[in-house]
Amino acid sequence: MGFKVFISHSVKDQNVADEIRQRLALDGHKIFNDTTDVPFGEDWAAAISEALRKSELMVVLLSPEAVQSPNVIHEIGFALGSENYKGRVVPVLVKPTENVPWFLKTIHTVDASDPSDQLTAGDRVARALRQLERRAG
């Protein structure tokens, strides 16, 4: 089936976002990529808003930089207030982070913060999305 996925992240976490994007694409998910899906000269904010409206699952990369990013907080707020994303916001801890917003602490989080772990962040997120697909039936 595959979800339409929006990955919310800080620019400092771009490498992890790219790795997760590539891994999820292998499983048939369509992932919005703000670096390639927004043509030069286009209104970036409008393109992000449109992608948020069209997506049905959000992966939120949590890092110290992400939890301080107004854009990330705005994107999370949009997803949590949208029926489109109901039960389909997946927080992913990519770096040890102390100031995770309280509303994300209530959601089961994928921990991909241990660099010595055998599974990559992409593999962990792919596994979580497979569980969501099974649950959706």
Side-chain angles (χ1 to χ4, degrees), residues 26-130:
L26 291 174
D27 283 357
H29 301 288
K30 173 132 177 66
I31 300 91
F32 173 75
N33 184 340
D34 62 341
T35 57
T36 60
D37 293 345
V38 181
F40 288 101
E42 289 291 318
D43 182 337
W44 183 81
I48 296 293
S49 294
E50 183 68 13
L52 282 166
R53 280 191 293 280
K54 289 183 175 180
S55 295
E56 55 194 5
L57 185 140
M58 180 180 283
V59 173
V60 181
L61 304 188
L62 298 175
S63 67
E65 297 82 11
V67 299
Q68 293 180 5
S69 166
N71 288 339
V72 171
I73 299 302
H74 172 76
E75 292 161 0
I76 295 166
F78 179 91
L80 291 176
S82 170
E83 282 295 315
N84 234 23
Y85 293 92
K86 189 167 179 78
R88 292 188 302 270
V89 175
V90 180
V92 180
L93 186 65
V94 296
K95 294 178 191 166
T97 306
E98 291 185 18
N99 298 319
V100 174
W102 68 269
F103 47 84
L104 288 179
K105 290 181 181 181
T106 65
I107 302 172
H108 190 140
T109 300
V110 175
D111 189 349
S113 64
D114 183 356
S116 68
D117 196 327
Q118 297 286 350
L119 286 178
T120 67
D123 291 333
R124 290 184 174 285
V125 174
R127 183 171 58 195
L129 268 57
R130 282 193 300 272

